[in-house]
Amino acid sequence: MDKLESSNWVVQNLQNALDTWNDKLSEIWTLITQSPQQFKGGVIWNVIENIHGALQAIGLALLVLFFVVGVMKTCGSFAEVKKPEHALKLFIRFAIAKGVVTYGLELMMALFKIVQGVISTIMRSAGFGAVTKTLLPTEIITAVEDCGFFESIPLWAVTLIGGLFVTVLSFIMIMSVYGRFFKLYLYTAIAPVPLSTFAGEPTQQVGKSFIKSYCSVCLEGAIIVLACIIFSLFASTPPVVDTSAAAVTQVWKYIGELIFNMLVLVGTIKMADRVVREMMGL
């Protein structure tokens, strides 16, 4: 259903608020399918790559430090290190840890692509190429336009409050999605330091926690997509409008139910990180 144009201020205000919501929802859909390299034309990614490369030198220095500390803590004496099987085990650990630090960026991008594949599969399985737009029902537009001047006064108040709520929720929702990108950049930039902890057995838990946390940030995209799909199904069946009620009652009930559905979506998006962490036991 296409949006109906109206010269009524109340209708225009509600439509503008819904347009803002629809724009932000569409922006989320676009952002979720983007990689960090594509976000904002790749300008931020170039800086993050430079920082990651500069920190690799520090990561390699820490790698040696954590390796030495690990050898000292896990070996009771120097004689144990001289044993071929023990020496081979230490060499393999050091080699793997160095590979993780050196190719950490490629490893993280591989994990991100796997999660993006999960997101694409969810979209394809749900049959959604884009989110469903939330439109103002024709019945409400007709009822509002038929109101006189004095009858419209309470409608102005309801519309202002409802429109403000919808607009604020729109920006809270998009901020959460932008926050996910910021976290992806932060994890990528600082990665060489926590990944260097794989060199020592006593410190390897830090590296494991880092990888798990990074995976959880990536998986937030899947939770956000699922939330948007569920909301789109809600939006495809808009709240029932009681045409026999007064116009202000119709608008109030419609906005109330609409804001409730929006709050559920915004709340789910805000809690996406917590949901993923609970799933992964973090």
Side-chain angles (χ1 to χ4, degrees):
M1 187 179 94
D2 295 328
K3 185 180 76 172
L4 297 177
E5 295 295 334
S6 175
S7 58
N8 187 281
W9 181 86
V10 173
V11 174
Q12 286 180 349
N13 191 64
L14 285 174
Q15 285 180 335
N16 288 337
L18 292 178
D19 285 344
T20 301
W21 173 265
N22 290 328
D23 289 343
K24 297 305 176 189
L25 208 55
S26 298
E27 188 177 352
I28 286 175
W29 205 254
T30 304
L31 288 173
I32 290 298
T33 55
Q34 283 186 349
S35 66
Q37 296 98 319
Q38 297 169 326
F39 183 66
K40 297 297 180 183
V43 177
I44 304 174
W45 180 253
N46 292 334
V47 177
I48 295 300
E49 267 191 317
N50 293 335
I51 295 171
H52 181 93
L55 288 179
Q56 269 189 339
I58 298 173
L60 291 171
L62 290 172
L63 182 76
V64 176
L65 176 63
F66 288 129
F67 177 74
V68 172
V69 171
V71 170
M72 293 174 63
K73 285 193 174 182
T74 54
C75 297
S77 65
F78 184 70
E80 290 185 25
V81 182
K82 292 171 68 176
K83 293 179 181 178
E85 65 275 8
H86 203 88
L88 180 62
K89 180 182 176 183
L90 291 173
F91 174 76
I92 292 173
R93 171 180 288 278
F94 184 83
I96 292 174
K98 185 183 181 303
V100 169
V101 174
T102 306
Y103 300 102
L105 188 61
E106 289 77 6
L107 172 64
M108 295 175 77
M109 286 301 97
L111 291 172
F112 181 82
K113 286 177 181 177
I114 291 171
V115 175
Q116 287 301 95
V118 171
I119 292 172
S120 299
T121 302
I122 291 172
M123 289 179 174
R124 190 167 55 251
S125 301
F128 278 80
V131 290
T132 305
K133 290 188 175 182
T134 305
L135 301 173
L136 198 61
T138 310
E139 296 86 351
I140 286 185
I141 296 176
T142 304
V144 170
E145 288 180 339
D146 290 343
C147 288
F149 175 77
F150 291 105
E151 292 175 310
S152 298
I153 293 175
L155 281 173
W156 296 346
V158 171
T159 303
L160 282 171
I161 296 171
L164 179 63
F165 262 101
V166 172
T167 304
V168 169
L169 288 174
S170 303
F171 283 99
I172 291 174
M173 178 175 64
I174 197 68
M175 280 173 62
S176 300
V177 179
Y178 273 99
R180 172 179 175 262
F181 265 103
F182 277 40
K183 284 188 282 187
L184 286 172
Y185 287 133
L186 293 172
Y187 273 83
T188 305
I190 205 75
V193 175
L195 289 178
S196 65
T197 59
F198 279 111
E201 190 173 338
T203 56
Q204 66 180 353
Q205 194 59 40
V206 176
K208 290 179 181 179
S209 297
F210 176 80
I211 294 293
K212 285 183 181 179
S213 297
Y214 177 76
C215 289
S216 72
V217 173
C218 295
L219 279 170
E220 283 179 31
I223 301 298
I224 291 171
V225 165
L226 284 169
C228 290
I229 289 172
I230 294 169
F231 178 81
S232 294
L233 295 172
F234 271 111
S236 63
T237 53
V240 178
V241 179
D242 183 7
T243 53
S244 62
V248 66
T249 304
Q250 291 183 36
V251 173
W252 182 253
K253 288 180 68 176
Y254 173 78
I255 290 177
E257 191 168 342
L258 186 67
I259 288 176
F260 174 78
N261 292 339
M262 290 178 174
L263 278 170
V264 172
L265 174 60
V266 174
T268 305
I269 291 176
K270 289 284 288 180
M271 291 191 303
D273 59 337
R274 190 185 306 171
V275 172
V276 174
R277 287 179 179 276
E278 286 177 358
M279 288 179 179
M280 298 185 69
L282 295 176

